[in-house]
Amino acid sequence: MNHLSNEKLLQSLNWRYATQAFDAARKIPADTWAALEQALVLTPTSYGLQPYRFMVVQDAAKRAMLLLHSYGNKQLLDCSHYVVFTVRTEMAEADIDKLVQRVSQVRGVAVDTLSRFRNSMLRDLVNGPRNKIAQEWATRQAYIALGNLMTCAAVLGVDACPMEGLVPAEYDKVLNLAGSGYATVVACALGYRAATDKYANLAKVRYETTDIVKYI
Ligand SMILES: Cc1cc2nc3c(=O)[nH]c(=O)nc-3n(C[C@H](O)[C@H](O)[C@H](O)COP(=O)(O)O)c2cc1C
């Protein structure tokens, strides 16, 4: 395995910034996007339940409609790929069984041998107190995917802007999510920075490492 050097990683993380203006003429090449799509898919989640769907909005008319509910975040029009993160609004027995079936299929093991795994998920997320916060729990998983996507994009030299500046209920309408069991939580615009984006050259503002990393 040929790992990235420490220097390369930090260079990429310092290079990235929340891109405010994208170059509308530059699209992410198909092979690069395919890698980023897999970065989304490969995101780890609690129990491996993957309680989300990533909606890649390629339709210009839909993007224009979403802009009306995005507090003026115009990045979503000019970016190459616009990903809306949607999460499961509840966790039911069927969600657990879907994963159990998948594990059984992928690893070639009988469903019966997964009953302890199945029961612990049911006890926790379906029949336990966490069922009441299922959407919140799913949202945390989606943010892991968002972080993963942004870091991987930076490593591949793709710009990104994470976006909470949107009205989830209105996005749900534009994306026809009513009744789907999924709801919008956050989005990410990806592509290449415009030469005119003055935010690219601003110094990074972070607290001192010693203020936020504590060794005990
Ligand atoms: C979850 C999340 C939501 C954000 N929402 C927006 C947004 O709606 N619009 C925007 O321009 N920037 C948004 N940002 C960008 C942050 O303001 C930015 O990441 C932060 O100031 C750090 O700067 P840097 O990313 O350029 O290093 C968001 C960032 C995160 C992580």
Side-chain angles (χ1 to χ4, degrees), residues 123-184:
R123 221 176 13 249
D124 177 8
L125 291 166
V126 179
N127 301 319
R130 290 223 288 178
N131 186 253
K132 289 197 181 58
I133 58 146
Q135 184 170 341
E136 169 58 31
W137 167 82
T139 300
R140 291 179 208 148
Q141 315 307 315
Y143 274 74
I144 298 172
L146 173 65
N148 203 24
L149 177 64
M150 287 194 292
T151 301
C152 293
V155 166
L156 295 182
V158 172
D159 284 301
C161 185
M163 281 178 42
E164 273 180 336
L166 52 82
V167 184
E170 297 298 332
Y171 264 52
D172 291 351
K173 286 184 202 156
V174 174
L175 300 172
N176 298 317
L177 294 180
S180 71
Y182 289 84
T184 301

Side-chain angles (χ1 to χ4, degrees), residues 22-180:
F22 286 91
D23 180 346
R26 284 190 72 193
K27 299 294 169 209
I28 300 172
D31 56 344
T32 302
W33 175 250
L36 292 176
E37 185 184 73
Q38 284 308 301
L40 284 170
V41 171
L42 288 167
T43 297
T45 51
S46 179
Y47 297 109
L49 274 162
Q50 307 158 72
Y52 41 47
R53 276 187 192 153
F54 310 112
M55 312 288 287
V56 186
V57 186
Q58 295 179 299
D59 182 69
K62 283 249 185 276
R63 285 199 194 179
M65 286 164 77
L66 292 176
L67 178 59
L68 301 174
H69 310 292
S70 305
Y71 300 103
N73 273 298
K74 286 200 295 294
Q75 300 93 316
L76 77 91
L77 287 190
D78 290 338
C79 66
S80 169
H81 287 66
Y82 188 52
V83 184
V84 180
F85 293 71
T86 73
V87 298
R88 283 287 288 141
T89 52
E90 57 180 0
M91 288 304 283
E93 197 164 342
D95 295 283
I96 307 301
D97 281 331
K98 184 175 162 198
L99 178 64
V100 169
Q101 289 293 339
R102 184 72 172 165
V103 174
S104 160
Q105 177 204 346
V106 171
R107 295 194 169 151
V109 295
V111 165
D112 296 356
T113 65
L114 299 167
S115 63
R116 276 184 61 184
F117 178 50
R118 178 177 184 274
N119 286 337
S120 62
M121 288 188 284
L122 283 175
R123 221 176 13 249
D124 177 8
L125 291 166
V126 179
N127 301 319
R130 290 223 288 178
N131 186 253
K132 289 197 181 58
I133 58 146
Q135 184 170 341
E136 169 58 31
W137 167 82
T139 300
R140 291 179 208 148
Q141 315 307 315
Y143 274 74
I144 298 172
L146 173 65
N148 203 24
L149 177 64
M150 287 194 292
T151 301
C152 293
V155 166
L156 295 182
V158 172
D159 284 301
C161 185
M163 281 178 42
E164 273 180 336
L166 52 82
V167 184
E170 297 298 332
Y171 264 52
D172 291 351
K173 286 184 202 156
V174 174
L175 300 172
N176 298 317
L177 294 180
S180 71

